[in-house]
Amino acid sequence: MGYTAIVDYGVGNLKSIANAMDYLGLPTQVTDDAGTLERADAIILPGVGAFPDAAERLRLSGLDKVVVTQAEKKPILGICLGMQLLFDMGEEVRDCKGLELVHGRVKRIETAHKLPHIGWNSLTFQNDAPIFRGLEDGAWVYFVHSYCGVAASEEDVIARTEYGVSVVAAVRSGNVYGCQFHPEKSGETGLQILKNFGELNR
């Protein structure tokens, strides 16, 4: 049986993601090894913290090129900051190049509500995507963020949420998926999303 590789580049809550996948019976390997990523059936890119720090760590590890290359061959899921890194550019702290797998920029949420946006919020789905199979509009998930992706094309947006303004909650471009929320902290809804993702290439 194959496995899903969770990219370890020094940024992200790797254990909670691995535990959620293990609970679902989906084997994972937490790794910073290019070969292990290349042999995986799918890849999860986590991330916590500031965009430029994470982007720099990913580049210094050399894993940025591996993730981009593997995105042509297998499903990739970016979670929270990991989703933001999928975009062309981030504006947190300073302009910083992302992985350019989803076209658009990561900007501070322009809302009158308090930032960061922390807590549960509901999803509105659009542009049908297999990672949301079995879920209905209004499903609740857990967010922690002050910045969000602004996609160049609405066709790449597969879910939105409301936080004073409409915020991109999930994206898809080919094999590449991103969730701004934390599925590993989102109860049964999050487990269903991880299960759907883990079964994409099986």
Side-chain angles (χ1 to χ4, degrees):
M1 187 177 184
Y3 61 90
T4 297
I6 301 173
V7 185
D8 181 4
Y9 60 110
V11 179
N13 188 358
L14 310 180
K15 189 168 181 59
S16 62
I17 297 170
N19 286 346
M21 296 290 280
D22 289 346
Y23 175 81
L24 293 166
L26 297 168
T28 60
Q29 289 196 33
V30 176
T31 184
D32 60 0
D33 176 67
T36 305
L37 293 176
E38 290 163 357
R39 291 187 293 272
D41 292 331
I43 295 172
I44 292 177
L45 180 66
V48 174
F51 189 109
D53 296 339
E56 183 69 9
R57 282 175 175 262
L58 198 55
R59 273 193 288 274
L60 288 174
S61 71
L63 297 178
D64 58 335
K65 293 182 176 63
V66 181
V67 171
V68 169
T69 301
Q70 293 304 302
E72 300 173 7
K73 307 171 185 178
K74 65 191 62 165
I76 307 280
L77 175 63
I79 294 177
C80 194
L81 180 58
M83 167 181 147
Q84 295 177 8
L85 291 171
L86 301 174
F87 281 79
D88 295 323
M89 188 74 66
E91 297 182 0
E92 185 176 1
V93 184
R94 62 181 185 276
D95 278 2
C96 181
K97 184 179 175 183
L99 295 174
E100 300 180 311
L101 292 170
V102 178
H103 293 311
R105 297 177 71 90
V106 175
K107 299 174 176 283
R108 188 172 176 85
I109 304 170
E110 296 182 1
T111 180
H113 290 8
K114 182 180 179 180
L115 292 176
H117 168 207
I118 301 176
W120 294 82
N121 219 332
S122 60
L123 298 175
T124 301
F125 300 122
Q126 61 187 61
N127 299 322
D128 185 52
I131 64 166
F132 294 142
R133 190 176 297 121
L135 300 177
E136 296 183 358
D137 250 14
W140 289 78
V141 291
Y142 188 80
F143 290 86
V144 183
H145 65 125
S146 297
Y147 287 76
C148 66
V150 179
S153 171
E154 196 63 23
E155 291 181 3
D156 291 339
V157 179
I158 56 174
R160 287 184 169 274
T161 194
E162 291 290 327
Y163 191 66
V165 293
S166 179
V167 174
V168 173
V171 292
R172 178 193 183 184
S173 179
N175 290 326
V176 177
Y177 297 82
C179 294
Q180 180 59 67
F181 53 90
H182 286 272
E184 77 281 9
K185 298 179 181 177
S186 297
E188 292 300 319
T189 295
L191 289 174
Q192 183 66 51
I193 291 168
L194 290 174
K195 181 175 185 289
N196 289 341
F197 176 75
E199 294 176 347
L200 284 177
N201 223 19
R202 296 179 191 276

